[in-house]
Amino acid sequence: MKEKKQIIIKVFTSGFIIFISLYFLQRLLLPKYASEIVEGAMIAEYYQEEKNHDVIFIGDCEVYENFSPQVLWDDFGINSYIRGSAQQLIWQSYYILEDTLRYEIPKVVIFNVQSMQFDKPDKEAYNRMTIDGMRWSLSKLGAIEASMTDKESCLEYIFPALRYHSRWNDITSEDWEYMFDTPRVSHNGYYMRVDTKAAKDVPEGKPLADYRFGEVDYEYLDRLTKLCKVNNIELILIKAPSLYPYWYGQWEKQIENYAKENELLYINFLELTEETGLNFDTDTYDGGLHMNLSGAEKITRYLGEILMQETKLEDRRDEDSLTVMWDKKRERYKADREEQYREFENREDTAQSEIEMTAKKAVDEKTEEPAMQDGGGIEKEKDYKGYVFIYHDAVIEINAEAAPILKKLGKSNSYFEAASCAFNGLDKMYTYNSFELDTYPVDDKDYVSMILFKDDSISTAEGVGIGDPAEKVTEIYGGDLIKGNGMSVYEKDGMKLCFIVEEGNVSSIEYQTAVLDD
């Protein structure tokens, strides 16, 4: 009996030691999001807050970089929090709201509709930045199941150490310092930036074969609406004033109709530039994608006025406990603001402008505009990978290194860059007379991700151009294609050649990388 008892104690002790060891290992290996990619820390920060909010924002970077809860409190006495995360998809927004309701029932929920354009899981990195920070609950499990890509497993979300075991080589002093407690990176979910980069050469939206939002988007928008109604919460839909990614008029009409049918307030800040006083020369820090502090405070004040007029919210600045709490928050808000002002005032150029200059250096050589071509100049004997596009003497292959191609093409008519949604770094867009060329970053190099035809003066290497009959596409490329979302897609060697046909004729031609789908 005594021996049996000793065995039980040993087994229990060994199991406890293994459990504690695995816990410490997991805490060490999990990314800390302290000084780099700080957006990954935002979801977890909510749990440290007092749960007494009037307004909860949910959505992607268009909420956490464009609205300031500090202004809502200082000017209107509205206690709010932003539960935002990078590339937050609509089903993730739903489960984050469901998770929030475990702790509090706000009077108003504000959802940014930009994510309605995505109807399938995107990238594991963005899933992790949203889901890893959630506390364990059925809501987190629902978010995992709805968000996983084909290459992910639920077990790796339950035990993140299984996913991050390879981070041993990347462990830094921050991983030890912030093993159990990470520094605050936001202000009630707002990510502050005070630097300025004017909006310039923002690309227009490319043609889509189908402008309808997906069924899964409407399913979760319905679930959001129902969840708010059963909890007596007023749901407000918004579209932040970001100029890129492009917001199509067809999308706008769908949201307007949905809001009307469900008796929801919808505010499109893209249409309120004059009313809010936004200036895209001074009120954005990244060329029109997100507002800087000046822009965020302008549109927040406009939103605050609407909230006080259109909802049952009340000014709570007479509540002593809230006033004390927000006084402390204001001190940190001001300190962060002043520190950032000092940092950027001491620089001749911001890091982003330096990146832009480096990216443009390869195409700033003055060259004559190459003559248009008809697609007949391809060297048939050369074994090109996938489908190629020939422009003058430049052979452009999808996924090829961009620098040599850009040098051959010469100076572009316009250039635009945006933070990559698929890789660390910048996606870059170069516009020429008859086409647009986009690149994606890997390590220190850029690679061609897309070529979009802009008119009928050019054609594919095989001789198909905009305006040609649909039969010509089938005749040249065959019937072995994928049809989806109104698009005919030929895929080969890690790239896609896509055609949109309207009224029997080709209306759009686009080369795409398939790497972004992996």
Side-chain angles (χ1 to χ4, degrees):
M1 186 72 179
K2 185 177 180 181
E3 290 181 0
K4 186 176 181 180
K5 186 175 182 181
Q6 289 176 339
I7 291 173
I8 293 174
I9 293 174
K10 287 181 180 180
V11 170
F12 177 81
T13 303
S14 299
F16 180 75
I17 292 172
I18 292 172
F19 175 81
I20 292 297
S21 299
L22 289 175
Y23 173 74
F24 276 88
L25 177 65
Q26 185 159 289
R27 294 302 309 174
L28 176 64
L29 292 176
L30 279 171
K32 304 305 182 291
Y33 303 116
S35 60
E36 296 183 0
I37 321 178
V38 297
E39 296 93 332
M42 292 180 177
I43 290 295
E45 286 189 350
Y46 168 77
Y47 302 106
Q48 303 174 46
E49 292 291 322
E50 292 291 331
K51 311 299 189 295
N52 187 17
H53 299 107
D54 307 303
V55 176
I56 293 290
F57 293 80
I58 51 175
D60 53 18
C61 54
E62 289 198 4
V63 290
Y64 70 73
E65 297 202 57
N66 289 340
F67 297 93
S68 170
Q70 186 69 53
V71 170
L72 285 179
W73 174 260
D74 287 344
D75 290 14
F76 305 99
I78 297 173
N79 187 23
S80 64
Y81 198 94
I82 300 172
R83 295 213 70 186
S85 56
Q87 198 77 358
Q88 187 180 113
L89 303 171
I90 186 169
W91 47 89
Q92 295 170 345
S93 296
Y94 170 79
Y95 286 111
I96 284 172
L97 177 58
E98 195 178 74
D99 174 66
T100 304
L101 299 187
R102 298 168 55 222
Y103 300 92
E104 59 181 332
I105 306 294
K107 295 179 180 178
V108 175
V109 166
I110 298 176
F111 170 62
N112 186 67
V113 297
Q114 179 70 34
S115 62
M116 286 287 289
Q117 65 180 292
F118 304 108
D119 63 354
K120 62 181 180 179
D122 189 19
K123 292 289 177 183
E124 181 188 5
Y126 285 102
N127 287 344
R128 290 284 177 179
M129 290 168 69
T130 296
I131 296 171
D132 280 350
M134 295 176 69
R135 287 184 177 173
W136 268 106
S137 66
L138 290 177
S139 299
K140 179 168 181 172
L141 185 60
I144 292 170
E145 292 177 342
S147 302
M148 284 191 305
T149 61
D150 293 338
K151 296 181 179 180
E152 294 180 84
S153 73
C154 186
L155 190 63
E156 290 181 343
Y157 279 96
I158 298 173
F159 301 105
L162 296 175
R163 179 64 183 87
Y164 295 116
H165 66 277
S166 60
R167 284 195 73 239
W168 281 114
N169 294 333
D170 300 322
I171 295 295
T172 68
S173 59
E174 279 191 354
D175 288 293
W176 295 100
E177 182 179 358
Y178 303 127
M179 193 168 174
F180 298 103
D181 185 27
T182 56
R184 291 291 183 98
V185 300
S186 76
H187 300 271
N188 272 44
Y190 166 59
Y191 177 52
M192 181 189 294
R193 290 288 295 265
V194 305
D195 43 325
T196 299
K197 180 182 176 183
K200 183 180 179 182
D201 296 325
V202 180
E204 298 178 356
K206 67 179 184 179
L208 302 181
D210 190 349
Y211 293 88
R212 293 172 298 178
F213 294 131
E215 291 182 5
V216 68
D217 299 301
Y218 278 117
E219 174 192 344
Y220 277 96
L221 187 56
D222 285 341
R223 293 177 71 174
L224 272 174
T225 302
K226 182 179 179 180
L227 185 62
C228 288
K229 285 184 177 179
V230 298
N231 286 279
N232 198 29
I233 299 169
E234 183 166 352
L235 175 63
I236 296 176
L237 307 179
I238 62 167
K239 173 64 187 78
S242 300
L243 299 178
Y244 184 87
Y246 189 79
W247 182 251
Y248 295 89
Q250 295 90 336
W251 293 352
E252 174 68 9
K253 190 65 176 177
Q254 290 176 74
I255 296 298
E256 289 176 351
N257 290 340
Y258 186 90
K260 184 176 181 180
E261 291 168 3
N262 291 274
E263 299 181 334
L264 303 177
L265 176 61
Y266 170 53
I267 309 167
N268 184 348
F269 285 93
L270 280 169
E271 299 177 348
L272 296 170
T273 303
E274 184 175 342
E275 292 85 345
T276 56
L278 277 181
N279 183 337
F280 282 97
D281 287 334
T282 59
D283 291 334
T284 172
Y285 77 84
D286 55 3
L289 280 73
H290 310 99
M291 302 300 101
N292 57 19
L293 181 63
S294 170
E297 292 189 341
K298 286 180 181 179
I299 63 175
T300 302
R301 290 190 178 95
Y302 187 89
L303 175 63
E305 294 284 357
I306 293 177
L307 291 175
M308 298 306 289
Q309 294 170 9
E310 302 292 335
T311 72
K312 297 179 181 180
L313 294 178
E314 298 178 355
D315 188 336
R316 300 179 66 185
R317 284 174 289 186
D318 60 348
E319 298 182 26
D320 292 341
S321 59
L322 279 180
T323 299
V324 170
M325 179 185 75
W326 278 102
D327 284 347
K328 293 179 180 178
K329 290 179 180 291
R330 188 184 304 107
E331 291 177 6
R332 180 171 165 265
Y333 188 85
K334 289 182 176 180
D336 190 4
R337 180 183 63 194
E338 296 308 314
E339 180 180 354
Q340 287 197 37
Y341 276 132
R342 285 193 299 269
E343 177 184 353
F344 290 108
E345 284 174 358
N346 290 336
R347 296 182 184 178
E348 293 182 359
D349 299 297
T350 66
Q352 288 181 339
S353 64
E354 291 171 357
I355 292 172
E356 178 182 349
M357 293 299 293
T358 301
K360 294 175 71 175
K361 184 178 179 181
V363 295
D364 276 344
E365 299 176 5
K366 298 290 184 179
T367 62
E368 295 182 2
E369 182 68 21
M372 299 299 178
Q373 54 80 48
D374 61 5
I378 186 170
E379 299 177 44
K380 298 294 184 182
E381 68 277 7
K382 186 165 182 179
D383 185 21
Y384 291 111
K385 191 174 182 181
Y387 301 102
V388 299
F389 171 56
I390 312 295
Y391 187 75
H392 196 50
D393 61 346
V395 178
I396 307 174
E397 296 181 73
I398 294 296
N399 299 320
E401 186 178 347
I405 295 170
L406 294 172
K407 186 173 182 179
K408 271 196 171 185
L409 289 175
K411 186 176 177 62
S412 61
N413 295 343
S414 64
Y415 167 83
F416 183 78
E417 63 185 29
S420 177
C421 289
F423 301 94
N424 291 328
L426 297 171
D427 292 331
K428 299 165 186 175
M429 286 139 268
Y430 303 84
T431 302
Y432 299 89
N433 284 349
S434 300
F435 66 95
E436 174 189 323
L437 185 150
D438 295 1
T439 70
Y440 64 89
V442 176
D443 298 327
D444 296 327
K445 293 183 179 180
D446 293 327
Y447 298 85
V448 178
S449 63
M450 187 195 76
I451 304 161
L452 175 67
F453 285 19
K454 298 175 67 67
D455 59 35
D456 61 2
S457 63
I458 54 178
S459 63
T460 67
E462 294 79 17
V464 176
I466 291 177
D468 285 341
E471 293 79 8
K472 187 175 182 180
V473 176
T474 305
E475 179 183 337
I476 291 178
Y477 295 100
D480 186 16
L481 74 161
I482 302 169
K483 282 189 174 289
N485 296 325
M487 199 176 266
S488 298
V489 181
Y490 295 87
E491 187 167 351
K492 183 168 61 173
D493 295 331
M495 61 85 60
K496 301 175 180 179
L497 179 56
C498 310
F499 298 92
I500 297 176
V501 175
E502 295 179 319
E503 298 180 356
N505 295 315
V506 175
S507 62
S508 176
I509 300 175
E510 181 178 348
Y511 296 78
Q512 297 178 355
T513 178
V515 171
L516 304 180
D517 298 330
D518 291 342

